[in-house]
Amino acid sequence: MALSDEIAFDDFLKVDIRAGTIVETEVFPEARKPAYKLQIDFGPEIGIKKSSAQITVHYTPETLKGRQVMAVVNFPPRQIGPVRSEVLTLGYADENGDIVLAAIDKPVPDGERLM
């Protein structure tokens, strides 16, 4: 994949990426590609938000609950089938194109912004 065009630091600041803890995970059977419905707690200021994520190859609902993730919280919500996805949970494609979640290697407060 080619490097994206250069942006100004102010452009980066427009993307609000926050840490949150997954509090609920369920299989999303209506999705076109295998996915989970997530509820992520971003702390008292933002609250619990919903997301859909195609992360079924590397994760199970049991391994996701309690895990801290990173998500973009200031995109407009997207309707994905019957689910209204309120945040974009972040990850990387592995060598097979399956998504690996972007990781936080030490606990941070829910709602903390990526700097």
Side-chain angles (χ1 to χ4, degrees), residues 22 38 40 51-53 55 69-72 87-91 99 101:
I22 298 173
L38 308 175
I40 306 170
S51 184
S52 170
I55 54 175
V69 294
M70 291 183 277
V72 177
V87 299
L88 176 65
T89 306
L90 300 176
I99 302 301
L101 290 168

Side-chain angles (χ1 to χ4, degrees), residues 36 54-61 63-64 67 92-101:
Y36 294 128
Q54 297 173 357
I55 54 175
T56 60
V57 171
H58 294 296
Y59 307 96
T60 65
T63 61
L64 289 168
R67 181 187 186 101
Y92 297 93
D94 67 11
E95 63 278 354
N96 298 315
D98 300 314
I99 302 301
V100 176
L101 290 168

Side-chain angles (χ1 to χ4, degrees), residues 12-22 38-52 68-78 84-90 104 109-115:
F12 168 73
L13 292 177
K14 291 176 186 175
V15 181
D16 194 349
I17 300 172
R18 303 286 182 122
T21 299
I22 298 173
L38 308 175
Q39 290 188 39
I40 306 170
D41 186 353
F42 291 98
E45 183 181 328
I46 299 170
I48 295 174
K49 299 291 183 182
K50 296 176 186 172
S51 184
S52 170
Q68 270 198 316
V69 294
M70 291 183 277
V72 177
V73 298
N74 65 333
F75 284 148
R78 291 183 58 202
R84 183 175 164 95
S85 187
E86 300 172 299
V87 299
L88 176 65
T89 306
L90 300 176
I104 299 171
D110 288 332
E112 190 64 32
R113 185 172 180 160
L114 179 70
M115 306 185 131

